[in-house]
Coordinates of all heavy atoms in Angstrom, one line a residue:
S1 N 141.9 114.1 86.3 CA 141.3 115.1 85.4 C 141.7 116.5 85.9 O 142.1 116.6 87.0 CB 139.8 115.0 85.4 OG 139.3 115.0 86.8
P2 N 141.6 117.5 85.0 CA 142.1 118.9 85.4 C 141.4 119.4 86.7 O 140.3 119.1 87.0 CB 141.7 119.8 84.2 CG 141.3 118.8 83.1 CD 140.9 117.5 83.7
M3 N 142.2 120.3 87.3 CA 141.6 121.0 88.5 C 140.3 121.7 88.2 O 140.2 122.2 87.1 CB 142.6 122.0 89.1 CG 142.2 122.5 90.4 SD 143.5 123.4 91.3 CE 143.8 124.8 90.2
S4 N 139.3 121.7 89.1 CA 138.0 122.3 89.0 C 137.0 121.5 88.2 O 135.8 121.8 88.2 CB 138.1 123.7 88.3 OG 138.0 123.6 86.9
D5 N 137.5 120.4 87.5 CA 136.5 119.5 87.0 C 135.8 118.8 88.2 O 136.4 118.4 89.1 CB 137.1 118.4 86.1 CG 137.4 119.0 84.7 OD1 137.3 120.2 84.5 OD2 137.7 118.2 83.8
I6 N 134.5 118.6 88.0 CA 133.7 118.0 89.1 C 133.4 116.6 88.6 O 132.8 116.4 87.6 CB 132.4 118.8 89.4 CG1 132.8 120.2 89.8 CG2 131.6 118.0 90.5 CD1 131.6 121.1 89.9
I7 N 133.7 115.6 89.5 CA 133.4 114.2 89.2 C 132.2 113.8 90.0 O 132.3 113.9 91.2 CB 134.6 113.3 89.4 CG1 135.7 113.7 88.4 CG2 134.2 111.9 89.3 CD1 137.1 113.2 88.8
I8 N 131.2 113.4 89.4 CA 130.0 113.0 90.1 C 129.9 111.4 90.0 O 129.9 110.9 88.9 CB 128.7 113.6 89.5 CG1 128.7 115.1 89.6 CG2 127.5 113.0 90.2 CD1 127.7 115.8 88.8
T9 N 130.0 110.8 91.1 CA 129.9 109.4 91.2 C 128.4 109.0 91.5 O 127.9 109.2 92.6 CB 130.8 108.8 92.3 OG1 132.1 109.3 92.0 CG2 130.8 107.3 92.2
P10 N 127.7 108.4 90.5 CA 126.3 108.0 90.8 C 126.2 107.0 91.8 O 127.0 106.0 91.8 CB 125.8 107.5 89.4 CG 126.8 107.9 88.4 CD 128.1 108.0 89.1
K11 N 125.3 107.2 92.8 CA 125.1 106.2 93.8 C 124.1 105.2 93.3 O 123.1 105.5 92.8 CB 124.6 106.8 95.1 CG 125.6 107.6 95.9 CD 125.1 107.7 97.4 CE 126.0 108.7 98.2 NZ 125.6 110.1 98.0
T12 N 124.4 103.9 93.5 CA 123.4 102.9 93.2 C 122.7 102.5 94.5 O 123.4 102.1 95.5 CB 124.1 101.6 92.6 OG1 124.7 102.0 91.4 CG2 123.0 100.5 92.3
R13 N 121.4 102.7 94.6 CA 120.7 102.3 95.8 C 120.7 100.8 96.0 O 120.3 100.1 95.1 CB 119.2 102.8 95.8 CG 118.6 102.9 97.1 CD 117.1 102.8 97.1 NE 116.4 103.0 98.4 CZ 116.4 102.1 99.4 NH1 117.0 100.9 99.2 NH2 115.8 102.3 100.5
I14 N 121.2 100.4 97.2 CA 121.2 99.0 97.5 C 119.9 98.6 98.0 O 119.4 99.1 99.0 CB 122.3 98.7 98.5 CG1 123.7 99.1 97.9 CG2 122.3 97.2 98.9 CD1 124.8 99.2 98.9
Q15 N 119.2 97.6 97.3 CA 117.9 97.1 97.7 C 118.2 95.9 98.6 O 118.7 94.9 98.2 CB 117.1 96.6 96.5 CG 115.7 96.3 96.8 CD 115.0 95.6 95.6 OE1 115.0 96.2 94.5 NE2 114.4 94.5 95.8
V16 N 117.8 96.1 99.9 CA 118.0 95.1 100.9 C 116.9 94.0 100.8 O 117.2 92.9 100.6 CB 118.2 95.7 102.3 CG1 118.3 94.6 103.3 CG2 119.3 96.7 102.3
K17 N 115.7 94.5 101.0 CA 114.6 93.6 100.9 C 113.8 94.0 99.7 O 113.7 95.2 99.4 CB 113.6 93.7 102.1 CG 114.1 92.9 103.3 CD 113.1 92.8 104.4 CE 113.4 91.8 105.5 NZ 112.4 91.8 106.6
S18 N 113.3 93.0 98.9 CA 112.5 93.4 97.7 C 111.2 94.0 98.2 O 110.4 93.5 99.0 CB 112.2 92.1 96.9 OG 111.4 91.2 97.7
D19 N 110.9 95.3 97.7 CA 109.7 95.9 98.1 C 108.5 95.2 97.4 O 108.5 95.0 96.2 CB 109.7 97.4 97.6 CG 110.9 98.1 98.0 OD1 111.8 97.5 98.6 OD2 111.0 99.3 97.6
R20 N 107.5 94.8 98.3 CA 106.3 94.2 97.7 C 105.5 95.3 97.0 O 105.4 96.4 97.5 CB 105.5 93.4 98.7 CG 105.6 93.8 100.1 CD 105.1 92.7 101.0 NE 104.8 93.4 102.3 CZ 105.8 94.0 103.0 NH1 107.0 94.0 102.6 NH2 105.5 94.6 104.1
P21 N 104.9 95.0 95.8 CA 104.1 96.0 95.1 C 103.0 96.5 95.9 O 102.4 95.7 96.7 CB 103.7 95.3 93.9 CG 103.8 93.8 94.2 CD 104.9 93.7 95.2
R22 N 102.7 97.8 95.8 CA 101.6 98.4 96.5 C 100.3 97.8 96.0 O 100.1 97.7 94.8 CB 101.6 99.9 96.3 CG 100.9 100.7 97.4 CD 101.5 102.0 97.6 NE 100.6 102.8 98.4 CZ 100.0 103.9 98.0 NH1 100.2 104.4 96.8 NH2 99.1 104.5 98.8
L23 N 99.4 97.4 96.9 CA 98.1 96.8 96.4 C 97.0 97.8 96.2 O 97.0 98.8 96.9 CB 97.7 95.7 97.4 CG 98.7 94.5 97.5 CD1 98.2 93.5 98.5 CD2 98.9 93.8 96.1
H24 N 96.1 97.5 95.3 CA 95.0 98.4 95.0 C 93.7 97.7 95.2 O 93.5 96.5 94.8 CB 95.1 99.0 93.6 CG 96.2 100.0 93.4 ND1 96.0 101.3 93.1 CD2 97.5 99.8 93.6 CE1 97.1 101.9 93.0 NE2 98.1 101.1 93.3
K25 N 92.7 98.3 95.8 CA 91.4 97.8 96.1 C 90.5 97.9 94.8 O 90.5 99.0 94.2 CB 90.7 98.5 97.3 CG 91.4 98.3 98.6 CD 90.7 99.0 99.7 CE 91.0 100.5 99.7 NZ 90.7 101.2 100.9
V26 N 89.7 96.9 94.5 CA 88.6 97.1 93.5 C 87.4 97.3 94.4 O 87.1 96.5 95.3 CB 88.5 95.8 92.6 CG1 87.3 96.0 91.7 CG2 89.8 95.6 91.8
I27 N 86.6 98.3 94.0 CA 85.4 98.7 94.8 C 84.2 98.6 94.0 O 84.2 99.2 92.8 CB 85.6 100.1 95.4 CG1 86.8 100.1 96.4 CG2 84.4 100.6 96.1 CD1 87.4 101.4 96.7
L28 N 83.2 97.9 94.5 CA 81.8 97.9 93.8 C 81.0 99.1 94.3 O 80.9 99.2 95.5 CB 81.2 96.6 94.1 CG 79.7 96.4 93.8 CD1 79.4 96.6 92.3 CD2 79.1 95.1 94.3
V29 N 80.4 99.8 93.4 CA 79.6 101.0 93.7 C 78.2 100.7 93.5 O 77.8 100.1 92.4 CB 80.0 102.2 92.9 CG1 79.2 103.4 93.3 CG2 81.5 102.5 93.1
N30 N 77.3 101.0 94.4 CA 75.8 100.7 94.3 C 75.2 101.6 93.3 O 75.7 102.7 93.0 CB 75.1 100.9 95.6 CG 73.7 100.5 95.6 OD1 73.3 99.5 94.9 ND2 72.8 101.3 96.2
D31 N 74.2 101.2 92.6 CA 73.3 102.0 91.8 C 71.9 101.5 91.9 O 71.7 100.5 92.5 CB 73.8 102.0 90.3 CG 73.6 100.7 89.6 OD1 72.4 100.3 89.4 OD2 74.6 100.0 89.4
D32 N 70.9 102.3 91.4 CA 69.5 101.9 91.5 C 69.0 101.0 90.4 O 67.8 100.6 90.4 CB 68.6 103.2 91.6 CG 68.9 104.0 92.8 OD1 69.4 103.4 93.8 OD2 68.6 105.2 92.8
Y33 N 69.8 100.7 89.4 CA 69.3 100.0 88.2 C 69.8 98.6 87.9 O 69.1 97.8 87.3 CB 69.5 100.9 87.0 CG 69.0 102.3 87.2 CD1 69.8 103.4 87.5 CD2 67.6 102.6 87.0 CE1 69.3 104.7 87.7 CE2 67.1 103.8 87.2 CZ 67.9 104.9 87.5 OH 67.4 106.1 87.8
T34 N 71.0 98.4 88.2 CA 71.6 97.0 87.9 C 70.9 96.0 88.8 O 70.9 96.1 90.0 CB 73.1 97.0 88.1 OG1 73.7 98.1 87.5 CG2 73.7 95.7 87.6
P35 N 70.3 94.9 88.1 CA 69.7 93.9 88.9 C 70.7 93.2 89.9 O 71.8 92.9 89.5 CB 69.2 92.9 87.9 CG 69.1 93.7 86.6 CD 70.2 94.7 86.7
R36 N 70.2 92.8 91.1 CA 71.1 92.2 92.1 C 71.7 90.9 91.5 O 72.9 90.6 91.7 CB 70.2 91.8 93.3 CG 69.7 93.0 94.1 CD 68.9 92.4 95.2 NE 68.4 93.5 96.0 CZ 68.2 93.4 97.4 NH1 68.5 92.3 98.0 NH2 67.7 94.4 98.0
E37 N 70.9 90.1 90.8 CA 71.4 88.8 90.3 C 72.5 89.0 89.2 O 73.4 88.2 89.1 CB 70.2 88.0 89.6 CG 68.9 88.1 90.3 CD 68.1 89.3 89.9 OE1 67.7 89.5 88.8 OE2 68.0 90.2 90.8
F38 N 72.4 90.1 88.5 CA 73.4 90.4 87.5 C 74.7 90.8 88.2 O 75.8 90.4 87.8 CB 73.0 91.5 86.5 CG 74.0 91.8 85.4 CD1 74.2 90.9 84.4 CD2 74.9 92.9 85.5 CE1 75.2 91.1 83.4 CE2 75.9 93.1 84.6 CZ 76.0 92.2 83.5
V39 N 74.6 91.6 89.2 CA 75.8 92.0 90.0 C 76.5 90.7 90.5 O 77.8 90.6 90.4 CB 75.5 92.9 91.2 CG1 76.7 93.3 92.0 CG2 74.8 94.2 90.7
V40 N 75.7 89.8 91.0 CA 76.3 88.5 91.6 C 77.0 87.7 90.4 O 78.1 87.2 90.6 CB 75.2 87.7 92.3 CG1 75.6 86.3 92.6 CG2 74.7 88.4 93.5
T41 N 76.3 87.7 89.3 CA 76.9 87.0 88.1 C 78.3 87.5 87.7 O 79.2 86.8 87.5 CB 75.9 87.0 86.9 OG1 74.7 86.4 87.3 CG2 76.5 86.3 85.7
V42 N 78.4 88.9 87.7 CA 79.6 89.5 87.3 C 80.7 89.3 88.4 O 81.8 89.0 88.1 CB 79.4 91.1 87.1 CG1 80.7 91.8 87.0 CG2 78.5 91.3 85.9
L43 N 80.3 89.4 89.7 CA 81.3 89.1 90.7 C 81.9 87.7 90.6 O 83.1 87.5 90.8 CB 80.7 89.4 92.1 CG 80.4 90.8 92.4 CD1 79.5 90.9 93.7 CD2 81.7 91.6 92.6
K44 N 81.0 86.7 90.4 CA 81.4 85.3 90.3 C 82.4 85.2 89.1 O 83.4 84.5 89.2 CB 80.2 84.4 90.1 CG 79.4 84.3 91.4 CD 78.0 83.7 91.3 CE 78.1 82.2 90.9 NZ 76.7 81.7 90.8
A45 N 82.0 85.7 87.9 CA 82.8 85.6 86.7 C 84.1 86.3 86.7 O 85.1 85.8 86.3 CB 81.9 86.0 85.5
E46 N 84.1 87.6 87.2 CA 85.3 88.4 87.0 C 86.2 88.3 88.2 O 87.4 88.6 88.1 CB 84.9 89.9 86.8 CG 84.0 90.1 85.6 CD 84.7 90.0 84.3 OE1 85.9 90.0 84.2 OE2 83.9 89.8 83.3
F47 N 85.7 87.9 89.4 CA 86.5 87.9 90.6 C 86.6 86.5 91.2 O 87.0 86.4 92.4 CB 86.0 88.9 91.6 CG 86.1 90.3 91.0 CD1 84.9 90.9 90.4 CD2 87.3 91.0 91.0 CE1 85.0 92.2 89.9 CE2 87.3 92.3 90.5 CZ 86.2 92.9 89.9
C48 N 86.2 85.4 90.5 CA 86.3 84.1 90.9 C 85.7 83.9 92.3 O 86.2 83.2 93.2 CB 87.7 83.6 91.0 SG 88.6 83.8 89.4
M49 N 84.5 84.5 92.5 CA 83.8 84.3 93.8 C 82.8 83.2 93.8 O 82.2 82.9 92.8 CB 83.1 85.6 94.2 CG 84.0 86.8 94.6 SD 83.0 88.2 95.1 CE 84.3 89.1 95.8
S50 N 82.5 82.6 95.0 CA 81.5 81.7 95.1 C 80.1 82.5 95.2 O 80.1 83.7 95.3 CB 81.6 80.9 96.5 OG 81.4 81.8 97.5
E51 N 79.0 81.7 95.0 CA 77.7 82.4 95.1 C 77.5 83.1 96.4 O 77.1 84.3 96.4 CB 76.6 81.3 94.9 CG 75.2 81.7 95.1 CD 74.7 82.5 93.9 OE1 75.2 82.3 92.7 OE2 73.8 83.3 94.0
D52 N 77.9 82.5 97.5 CA 77.7 83.1 98.8 C 78.6 84.4 99.0 O 78.1 85.4 99.5 CB 78.1 82.1 99.9 CG 77.0 81.1 100.2 OD1 76.1 81.0 99.3 OD2 77.0 80.4 101.2
Q53 N 79.9 84.3 98.6 CA 80.8 85.5 98.6 C 80.2 86.6 97.8 O 80.2 87.8 98.3 CB 82.1 85.1 98.1 CG 83.0 84.2 98.9 CD 84.3 83.9 98.2 OE1 84.3 83.5 97.0 NE2 85.5 84.2 98.8
A54 N 79.8 86.3 96.6 CA 79.2 87.3 95.7 C 78.0 87.9 96.2 O 77.8 89.2 96.2 CB 79.0 86.7 94.3
Q55 N 77.1 87.1 96.8 CA 75.9 87.6 97.4 C 76.2 88.6 98.6 O 75.6 89.7 98.7 CB 75.0 86.5 98.0 CG 74.2 85.7 97.0 CD 73.0 86.5 96.4 OE1 72.6 87.5 97.0 NE2 72.4 86.0 95.4
R56 N 77.2 88.3 99.4 CA 77.6 89.1 100.5 C 78.1 90.5 100.1 O 77.8 91.5 100.6 CB 78.6 88.4 101.4 CG 77.9 87.6 102.5 CD 78.9 87.0 103.5 NE 78.7 85.6 103.6 CZ 79.5 84.6 103.2 NH1 80.7 84.9 102.6 NH2 79.2 83.4 103.3
V57 N 79.0 90.4 99.1 CA 79.6 91.6 98.5 C 78.5 92.5 97.9 O 78.5 93.7 98.1 CB 80.7 91.3 97.6 CG1 81.2 92.6 96.8 CG2 81.9 90.7 98.3
M58 N 77.6 91.9 97.1 CA 76.6 92.7 96.4 C 75.7 93.4 97.5 O 75.4 94.6 97.3 CB 75.8 91.7 95.5 CG 74.6 92.4 94.8 SD 73.1 92.7 95.8 CE 72.6 91.0 96.0
I59 N 75.2 92.6 98.5 CA 74.3 93.2 99.5 C 75.0 94.2 100.3 O 74.3 95.2 100.7 CB 73.6 92.0 100.3 CG1 72.2 92.5 100.8 CG2 74.5 91.6 101.5 CD1 71.2 92.6 99.7
T60 N 76.3 94.1 100.6 CA 77.0 95.1 101.3 C 77.1 96.4 100.6 O 76.8 97.5 101.1 CB 78.4 94.6 101.7 OG1 78.3 93.4 102.5 CG2 79.2 95.7 102.5
A61 N 77.4 96.3 99.3 CA 77.4 97.5 98.4 C 76.0 98.1 98.3 O 75.8 99.4 98.4 CB 77.9 97.2 97.0
H62 N 75.0 97.3 98.2 CA 73.6 97.7 98.1 C 73.2 98.5 99.4 O 72.5 99.5 99.3 CB 72.7 96.5 97.9 CG 71.2 96.8 97.9 ND1 70.6 97.4 96.8 CD2 70.2 96.7 98.8 CE1 69.3 97.5 97.0 NE2 69.0 97.1 98.3
R63 N 73.6 98.0 100.5 CA 73.2 98.7 101.8 C 74.0 99.9 102.2 O 73.5 100.9 102.7 CB 73.3 97.7 103.0 CG 72.2 96.6 102.9 CD 72.4 95.5 104.0 NE 71.3 94.5 103.9 CZ 71.5 93.3 104.4 NH1 72.6 92.9 104.9 NH2 70.5 92.4 104.3
R64 N 75.4 99.8 101.9 CA 76.3 100.8 102.4 C 76.8 101.8 101.3 O 77.4 102.8 101.6 CB 77.5 100.1 103.0 CG 77.1 99.2 104.2 CD 78.3 98.3 104.6 NE 79.4 99.0 105.2 CZ 79.7 99.1 106.4 NH1 78.9 98.5 107.3 NH2 80.7 99.8 106.9
G65 N 76.5 101.4 100.0 CA 76.9 102.3 98.9 C 78.1 101.8 98.2 O 78.2 102.0 97.0
V66 N 79.1 101.2 98.9 CA 80.3 100.6 98.3 C 80.7 99.4 99.0 O 80.3 99.2 100.2 CB 81.5 101.6 98.3 CG1 81.2 102.8 97.4 CG2 81.7 102.1 99.7
C67 N 81.5 98.5 98.4 CA 82.1 97.4 99.1 C 83.4 97.0 98.4 O 83.4 97.0 97.1 CB 81.1 96.2 99.0 SG 81.8 94.7 100.0
V68 N 84.4 96.7 99.2 CA 85.7 96.3 98.6 C 85.5 94.8 98.1 O 85.0 94.0 98.9 CB 86.8 96.3 99.7 CG1 88.1 95.7 99.1 CG2 87.1 97.7 100.1
V69 N 85.8 94.6 96.9 CA 85.7 93.3 96.2 C 86.9 92.4 96.4 O 86.8 91.3 96.8 CB 85.4 93.5 94.7 CG1 85.2 92.1 94.0 CG2 84.1 94.3 94.5
A70 N 88.1 93.0 96.2 CA 89.3 92.3 96.2 C 90.5 93.3 96.1 O 90.3 94.5 95.9 CB 89.4 91.3 95.0
V71 N 91.7 92.8 96.4 CA 92.9 93.6 96.2 C 93.9 92.9 95.3 O 94.1 91.7 95.4 CB 93.6 94.0 97.6 CG1 92.7 94.9 98.4 CG2 94.0 92.8 98.3
Y72 N 94.5 93.7 94.4 CA 95.5 93.2 93.4 C 96.6 94.2 93.3 O 96.4 95.4 93.8 CB 94.8 93.0 92.1 CG 93.6 92.1 92.0 CD1 92.3 92.6 92.0 CD2 93.8 90.7 92.0 CE1 91.2 91.7 91.9 CE2 92.7 89.8 91.9 CZ 91.4 90.3 91.9 OH 90.3 89.5 91.8
T73 N 97.6 93.9 92.5 CA 98.5 94.9 92.0 C 97.8 95.9 91.2 O 96.7 95.6 90.7 CB 99.6 94.3 91.2 OG1 99.1 93.6 90.1 CG2 100.5 93.4 92.0
K74 N 98.3 97.1 91.0 CA 97.6 98.2 90.3 C 97.1 97.8 88.9 O 95.9 98.0 88.6 CB 98.6 99.4 90.2 CG 97.9 100.7 89.6 CD 98.9 101.9 89.7 CE 98.2 103.2 89.4 NZ 97.9 103.4 88.0
D75 N 98.0 97.2 88.1 CA 97.6 96.8 86.7 C 96.4 95.9 86.7 O 95.5 96.0 85.9 CB 98.8 96.2 86.0 CG 99.8 97.2 85.6 OD1 99.7 98.4 86.0 OD2 100.8 96.9 84.9
V76 N 96.5 94.8 87.6 CA 95.4 93.8 87.6 C 94.1 94.4 88.2 O 93.1 94.1 87.6 CB 95.9 92.6 88.5 CG1 94.8 91.6 88.7 CG2 97.1 91.9 87.8
A77 N 94.2 95.2 89.2 CA 93.0 95.9 89.8 C 92.3 96.7 88.7 O 91.1 96.6 88.6 CB 93.4 96.7 91.0
E78 N 93.1 97.5 88.0 CA 92.5 98.4 87.0 C 91.9 97.5 85.8 O 90.8 97.9 85.3 CB 93.5 99.4 86.4 CG 93.8 100.5 87.4 CD 94.9 101.4 87.1 OE1 95.6 101.1 86.1 OE2 95.1 102.4 87.8
A79 N 92.5 96.5 85.4 CA 92.0 95.6 84.3 C 90.7 94.9 84.8 O 89.8 94.8 84.0 CB 93.1 94.6 83.9
K80 N 90.7 94.4 86.0 CA 89.5 93.7 86.5 C 88.3 94.7 86.6 O 87.2 94.4 86.3 CB 89.8 93.1 87.9 CG 90.8 92.0 87.8 CD 90.2 90.6 88.0 CE 91.2 89.5 88.1 NZ 90.5 88.2 87.8
A81 N 88.6 95.9 87.2 CA 87.5 96.9 87.4 C 87.0 97.3 86.0 O 85.7 97.4 85.9 CB 88.1 98.1 88.1
T82 N 87.8 97.5 85.0 CA 87.4 97.8 83.7 C 86.5 96.7 83.0 O 85.5 97.0 82.5 CB 88.6 98.2 82.8 OG1 89.3 99.3 83.3 CG2 88.2 98.5 81.3
A83 N 87.0 95.5 83.1 CA 86.3 94.3 82.6 C 84.9 94.2 83.2 O 83.9 93.9 82.5 CB 87.1 93.1 82.7
A84 N 84.8 94.3 84.5 CA 83.6 94.1 85.2 C 82.6 95.3 84.9 O 81.4 95.0 84.7 CB 83.8 94.1 86.7
T85 N 83.1 96.5 84.8 CA 82.3 97.7 84.5 C 81.8 97.5 83.0 O 80.6 97.8 82.8 CB 83.1 99.0 84.6 OG1 83.5 99.1 86.0 CG2 82.3 100.2 84.2
E86 N 82.6 97.0 82.1 CA 82.2 96.8 80.7 C 81.1 95.7 80.6 O 80.3 95.8 79.7 CB 83.4 96.5 79.8 CG 84.1 97.8 79.4 CD 85.4 97.5 78.7 OE1 85.9 96.3 78.5 OE2 86.1 98.5 78.3
A87 N 81.2 94.7 81.5 CA 80.2 93.6 81.4 C 78.8 94.2 81.7 O 77.8 93.8 81.1 CB 80.5 92.6 82.5
G88 N 78.7 95.2 82.6 CA 77.5 95.9 82.9 C 77.0 96.8 81.7 O 75.9 96.7 81.3
R89 N 78.0 97.5 81.2 CA 77.8 98.4 80.1 C 77.2 97.7 78.9 O 76.3 98.2 78.2 CB 79.1 99.1 79.7 CG 79.1 100.1 78.5 CD 78.6 101.4 78.9 NE 77.1 101.6 78.6 CZ 76.6 101.8 77.4 NH1 77.4 102.0 76.4 NH2 75.3 101.9 77.3
R90 N 77.7 96.5 78.6 CA 77.2 95.7 77.5 C 75.7 95.3 77.6 O 75.1 95.1 76.6 CB 78.0 94.4 77.3 CG 79.4 94.6 76.7 CD 80.0 93.2 76.3 NE 80.3 92.3 77.3 CZ 81.4 92.3 78.1 NH1 82.4 93.1 77.9 NH2 81.5 91.4 79.1
K91 N 75.2 95.3 78.8 CA 73.8 95.0 79.1 C 73.0 96.2 79.3 O 71.8 96.2 79.7 CB 73.7 94.0 80.3 CG 74.3 92.7 80.2 CD 73.4 91.7 79.5 CE 73.9 90.3 79.6 NZ 73.0 89.3 79.0
G92 N 73.7 97.4 79.2 CA 73.0 98.7 79.4 C 72.8 99.1 80.8 O 72.0 100.0 81.1
Y93 N 73.6 98.5 81.7 CA 73.5 98.9 83.1 C 74.6 99.8 83.5 O 75.7 99.8 83.0 CB 73.6 97.6 84.0 CG 72.5 96.6 83.8 CD1 72.8 95.3 83.6 CD2 71.2 97.0 83.8 CE1 71.7 94.3 83.4 CE2 70.1 96.1 83.5 CZ 70.4 94.8 83.4 OH 69.4 93.9 83.2
P94 N 74.3 100.7 84.6 CA 75.4 101.6 85.0 C 76.3 101.1 86.0 O 77.0 101.8 86.7 CB 74.5 102.8 85.6 CG 73.3 102.0 86.2 CD 73.1 100.9 85.2
L95 N 76.4 99.8 86.1 CA 77.3 99.1 87.1 C 78.7 99.7 87.0 O 79.3 99.8 86.0 CB 77.3 97.6 86.8 CG 78.1 96.7 87.7 CD1 77.5 96.7 89.1 CD2 78.1 95.2 87.2
L96 N 79.2 100.0 88.2 CA 80.6 100.6 88.3 C 81.5 100.0 89.3 O 81.1 99.8 90.5 CB 80.4 102.1 88.6 CG 81.7 102.9 88.7 CD1 82.5 103.0 87.4 CD2 81.4 104.4 89.2
F97 N 82.7 99.7 88.8 CA 83.8 99.2 89.7 C 84.9 100.3 89.6 O 85.3 100.7 88.5 CB 84.3 97.8 89.3 CG 83.3 96.7 89.5 CD1 82.3 96.5 88.6 CD2 83.4 95.9 90.6 CE1 81.4 95.4 88.8 CE2 82.5 94.9 90.8 CZ 81.5 94.6 89.9
T98 N 85.4 100.7 90.8 CA 86.5 101.7 90.8 C 87.7 101.0 91.4 O 87.6 99.9 92.0 CB 86.1 102.9 91.5 OG1 85.8 102.6 92.9 CG2 84.9 103.6 90.9
T99 N 88.9 101.7 91.4 CA 90.0 101.2 92.2 C 90.6 102.3 93.0 O 90.4 103.5 92.7 CB 91.1 100.7 91.2 OG1 91.7 101.8 90.5 CG2 90.6 99.6 90.3
E100 N 91.3 101.9 94.1 CA 92.0 102.9 94.9 C 93.2 102.2 95.6 O 93.0 101.0 96.0 CB 91.2 103.7 95.9 CG 90.5 102.9 97.0 CD 89.8 103.8 98.0 OE1 88.8 104.4 97.7 OE2 90.3 103.9 99.1
P101 N 94.3 102.9 95.8 CA 95.5 102.3 96.4 C 95.2 102.0 97.9 O 94.4 102.8 98.5 CB 96.6 103.3 96.3 CG 95.9 104.6 95.9 CD 94.6 104.3 95.3
E102 N 95.7 100.9 98.4 CA 95.6 100.6 99.9 C 96.6 101.5 100.6 O 97.6 101.9 100.1 CB 96.0 99.1 100.1 CG 94.9 98.2 100.1 CD 95.3 96.8 100.7 OE1 96.5 96.5 100.7 OE2 94.4 96.1 101.1
E103 N 96.2 101.8 101.9 CA 97.0 102.6 102.8 C 98.4 101.9 102.9 O 98.4 100.8 103.2 CB 96.4 102.8 104.1 CG 94.9 103.2 104.1 CD 94.0 102.1 103.7 OE1 94.2 101.0 104.2 OE2 93.1 102.3 102.9
Ligands
NFA1 N1 70.9 98.4 94.1 C1 70.7 97.5 93.1 C2 69.3 97.0 93.1 O1 68.6 97.2 94.0 C3 71.6 96.2 93.2 C4 73.1 96.6 93.2 C5 73.9 96.2 94.2 C6 73.7 97.3 92.2 C7 75.3 96.5 94.3 C8 75.0 97.7 92.2 C9 75.8 97.2 93.2 N2 68.8 96.4 92.0

């Protein structure tokens, strides 16, 4: 090509190891109104938990204010948190599940 034309060669980044997707936590937030048994029912249905697991997560959020429920890829974590929050909303409860990226 003519003198002074600049040729830019795009570099293709070589991926050596496949980066595993960043995981996001689903967090159960305590409130004063949602019945304990309903929280347990939602945890079992939406997060495939046993009765004992669900009881432990519910009581931890009740005592400490929040509890990590599970970790998933961003899309799955957000979908699960939304579905579980909507299950409470349908019954008129302020039940809230949030998400945040893992360190
Ligand atoms: N604090 C609620 C109650 O005493 C129970 C609850 C636990 C709600 C965990 C939300 C999250 N009925």
